[in-house]
Amino acid sequence: MDDRLLHDFAEIASDWFWETDAQHRFTFFSNRISEVIGVPAEFFLGKSRMELLKGSDDQNSWAEHFADLEARRPFRDFTYQAKRPIDNSAFWIRTSGEPVFSKAGNFLGYRGTGLDVTVEVLARAQLEKSNIELKKRNAELLKAKSTIERMAYEDPLTGLKNRRFIEEEFARLVQRNGPSFSVLHSDLDRFKQINDTLGHAAGDQVLRVVANRLLACFPPPATIGRIGGDEFVILIGSSDPILLKEQADAAIRDISQTIVLDETSVEIGTSFGIACKEGTDESLHQLLSRADLALYEAKALGRNRAQLFTPELHNRLIKEKALANDLQNGVKNDEFEVWYQPQINARSGALSGVEALMRWNSPSRGLVLPEHFMSKAESLGIMPEIDGSILRKSLAFVTQLAKGGSILPRLSINVSFDRLTEGHIVEEVQALWKDRSTQLSFELVETVTFDGTMSAIIKHNLDRLRDIGVSLEVDDFGTGHASITALLQVEPDSLKIDRSLVASVLVDLKCRRLVTHVIAMAEAMNVRVIAEGVETRKQAQCLAELGCQTLQGFYFAPPMPAEDFATYVKNRQDLGLATTIA
């Protein structure tokens, strides 16, 4: 090809041609370069590429290029960024070159082509940017998908699995293990007290700590879920009752360890019900029901323990579960009534007060006395609600009597252990006890005074109740429950001699001496004495002679519904009646 033909080809090609000498100075450029860069080709002659066009920050690629030139090696598609002399604007060049040698083998320089690849480079950069953004978007979508899936199957408070996941995992276990797995149902003992006394934030902290302790006690492949409130379910691939009982007992010990909160510390117990899968056709609901029955048994036996479901439990526990359901519905439907039994002054026979007694008027069971449902109500944690209902109704009743001209000297109401641990009890009493013409008295029952010790919250509430004018009574004194130490802690205004002592006071000399000593002790402490369960006139006379100030029992009147008691009070007023004791 002659020089003229080569020149014509160079002028019509999209690439430009160039040549350098042995010092890498440009000696030739085709005119195509001037169209790309905007200056005549002569501008570059006598100058090196490094001098004129180097604008890249990529030092590594330039170092490799310099090494190729120094070694006089051919190079292909070396791409770099340069600046146009006329406006300093950036563009990209791709160049290739071959070393040129004389016939004698002397290095004469390089000859090669150049191409403006700005559009290509920018397009590739945009594509890479789009790919990066796409990857980022895909990562965000995957993260969002993972979050949605986690939210669908995870309890947000504890991070444990939720009921939906437990149900689906149960189906998977059935396929994998057949009947060889078990369900453990657990809830916390007296958790409601933490929410009531320390607040729900503290309760949430406790739930998170318990969840972590459960995870440590039942590692994978066991599955742990929170199915509501303080209830947890564990699916475990074992049907060995001994092993399951040992694991549950170990979990109880761990969970019972002190939990340190932000500003205080608490201790909490837990109970477990355990049910082993017996057949392939059993549903999760059926297995949970059996575990639930075992859990009720654990709580009935004293809480903070694990109980295996056995067929022998079924008949008894199903009745107790029905009782529990009826009780909870009873609270919801306000089925608890107040009956009233008068208290009589042992000297004058005048009406000195009244005790408010709870009765459950169940639609299916009829009128139920407290001894048949209180222990179950306590285990369910609903006694505070029942106590609150009794307080509200009885105070409204005595206020109604007072408006009709019948002012009762004293209203005594039983108050449960759980009720006394509520942080708002004092404020509630203040809000309800508007008419102070009737003295309000709380009878302390159950473990409030059993062991001579008292929790700080109960002592605090009793002191505040006394500050607002509520008097305190110790119930069932003389049965071995209430101790002398407890009396000194409570500092009651009254104590009630238990009906079992009253029943024997005429026939048992030791019993009469005990009653005498109780009355003498009460007098020394300036405490009023009430005798309950007085059934005969002779009992009333004996107790009056021994120094008992107030008497209560069927000899004077049985417990009555509100309407009958209102009539009883009115008749006494109209006729000026006083019960004859002497």
Side-chain angles (χ1 to χ4, degrees), residues 2 13 83 100 105 154 166 175 200 250 265 276 312 340 461 466 472 474 482 489-490 509 514:
D2 58 25
K83 302 289 185 179
V100 179
E154 187 177 285
I166 291 294
Q175 293 180 341
H200 288 278
S265 60
C276 300
E312 292 75 21
Y340 300 90
N461 280 340
R466 187 181 284 108
L472 304 177
V474 173
Q489 283 187 306
V490 175
L509 181 59
L514 177 59

Side-chain angles (χ1 to χ4, degrees), residues 106-142:
N106 297 320
F107 175 65
L108 301 177
Y110 270 88
R111 178 182 297 159
T113 61
L115 178 65
D116 179 6
V117 291
T118 302
V119 173
E120 177 186 336
V121 170
L122 292 178
R124 185 185 301 113
Q126 182 61 42
L127 180 60
E128 290 176 355
K129 180 180 178 182
S130 298
N131 286 338
I132 291 172
E133 291 178 352
L134 182 60
K135 289 179 180 179
K136 180 180 178 182
R137 179 60 177 161
N138 286 339
E140 291 173 350
L141 289 174
L142 288 173

Side-chain angles (χ1 to χ4, degrees), residues 338-489:
V338 187
W339 285 40
Y340 300 90
Q341 188 172 33
Q343 296 175 334
I344 305 301
N345 187 295
R347 293 183 180 179
S348 67
L351 183 65
S352 64
V354 62
E355 181 180 3
L357 300 165
M358 74 174 75
R359 297 290 187 267
W360 177 23
N361 194 354
S362 169
S364 59
R365 299 170 184 268
L367 195 66
V368 187
L369 297 177
E371 54 264 33
H372 298 304
F373 67 82
M374 271 192 62
S375 61
K376 179 57 66 177
E378 291 162 9
S379 69
L380 293 171
I382 60 175
M383 276 308 301
E385 295 175 81
I386 297 174
D387 283 354
S389 173
I390 299 302
L391 175 69
R392 173 175 48 82
K393 291 176 181 177
S394 57
L395 284 174
F397 176 66
V398 297
T399 299
Q400 180 183 353
L401 287 180
K403 290 179 179 178
S406 300
I407 298 177
L408 298 180
R410 178 181 298 270
L411 171 66
S412 296
I413 301 176
N414 288 283
V415 59
S416 64
F417 176 95
D418 286 349
R419 174 72 164 155
L420 284 174
T421 63
E422 293 188 315
H424 55 77
I425 182 174
V426 177
E427 288 72 21
E428 185 177 341
V429 171
Q430 283 181 308
L432 293 173
W433 189 23
K434 300 293 187 183
D435 183 359
R436 299 297 180 95
S437 59
T438 296
Q439 173 62 49
L440 177 61
S441 182
F442 276 2
E443 292 189 14
L444 310 182
V445 294
E446 305 162 346
T447 53
V448 175
T449 56
F450 278 7
D451 58 6
T453 62
M454 188 182 304
S455 70
I457 183 63
I458 291 180
K459 184 67 167 65
H460 177 68
N461 280 340
L462 290 180
D463 290 342
R464 292 181 65 206
L465 286 168
R466 187 181 284 108
D467 289 342
I468 66 170
V470 178
S471 61
L472 304 177
E473 301 177 11
V474 173
D475 198 12
D476 299 332
F477 194 82
T479 61
H481 292 161
S483 67
I484 302 301
T485 305
L487 285 181
L488 295 175
Q489 283 187 306

Side-chain angles (χ1 to χ4, degrees), residues 138-377:
N138 286 339
E140 291 173 350
L141 289 174
L142 288 173
K143 183 178 179 181
K145 180 182 177 184
S146 176
T147 300
I148 291 170
E149 290 176 349
R150 187 178 69 251
M151 291 174 63
Y153 290 108
E154 187 177 285
D155 169 46
L157 176 63
T158 63
L160 298 177
K161 303 304 181 183
N162 60 14
R163 181 182 288 273
R164 177 182 175 185
F165 184 91
I166 291 294
E167 290 172 350
E168 295 185 9
E169 180 65 12
F170 178 86
R172 289 188 286 267
L173 279 171
V174 170
Q175 293 180 341
R176 290 199 307 265
N177 294 34
S180 299
F181 68 92
S182 303
V183 167
L184 286 75
H185 184 197
S186 169
D187 70 7
L188 303 182
D189 297 330
R190 301 191 186 280
F191 177 71
K192 185 175 183 295
Q193 293 179 19
I194 292 178
N195 279 336
D196 290 343
T197 58
L198 300 178
H200 288 278
D204 289 348
Q205 283 185 271
V206 169
L207 290 174
R208 284 190 286 266
V209 171
V210 169
N212 289 332
R213 292 180 180 180
L214 283 172
L215 288 168
C217 293
F218 298 96
T223 302
I224 306 172
R226 176 175 174 243
I227 59 173
D230 61 334
E231 292 185 74
F232 301 90
V233 165
I234 302 156
L235 302 182
I236 189 166
S238 171
S239 55
D240 183 344
I242 296 176
L243 176 63
L244 293 169
K245 181 72 162 53
E246 289 176 350
Q247 281 189 276
D249 287 339
I252 289 169
R253 289 192 295 271
D254 285 356
I255 291 171
S256 298
Q257 299 299 312
T258 300
I259 296 175
V260 178
L261 304 179
D262 294 336
E263 298 179 355
T264 185
S265 60
V266 298
E267 293 181 359
I268 192 156
T270 187
S271 299
F272 280 90
I274 306 169
C276 300
K277 192 165 176 24
E278 297 175 351
T280 55
D281 295 334
E282 288 176 301
S283 67
L284 176 62
H285 175 73
Q286 290 170 319
L287 202 56
L288 270 176
S289 294
R290 294 212 306 272
D292 196 31
L293 290 172
L295 177 60
Y296 270 92
E297 175 71 358
K299 289 184 174 294
L301 292 174
R303 307 182 187 229
N304 214 37
R305 64 179 62 217
Q307 179 66 40
L308 286 161
F309 176 85
T310 61
E312 292 75 21
L313 284 177
H314 185 266
N315 290 336
R316 175 168 57 85
L317 293 182
I318 205 71
K319 291 179 181 178
E320 292 187 12
K321 184 66 184 300
L323 174 62
N325 289 336
D326 287 350
L327 273 170
Q328 289 170 324
N329 288 330
V331 170
K332 186 187 303 182
N333 299 327
D334 197 22
E335 295 171 2
F336 294 88
E337 299 178 354
V338 187
W339 285 40
Y340 300 90
Q341 188 172 33
Q343 296 175 334
I344 305 301
N345 187 295
R347 293 183 180 179
S348 67
L351 183 65
S352 64
V354 62
E355 181 180 3
L357 300 165
M358 74 174 75
R359 297 290 187 267
W360 177 23
N361 194 354
S362 169
S364 59
R365 299 170 184 268
L367 195 66
V368 187
L369 297 177
E371 54 264 33
H372 298 304
F373 67 82
M374 271 192 62
S375 61
K376 179 57 66 177

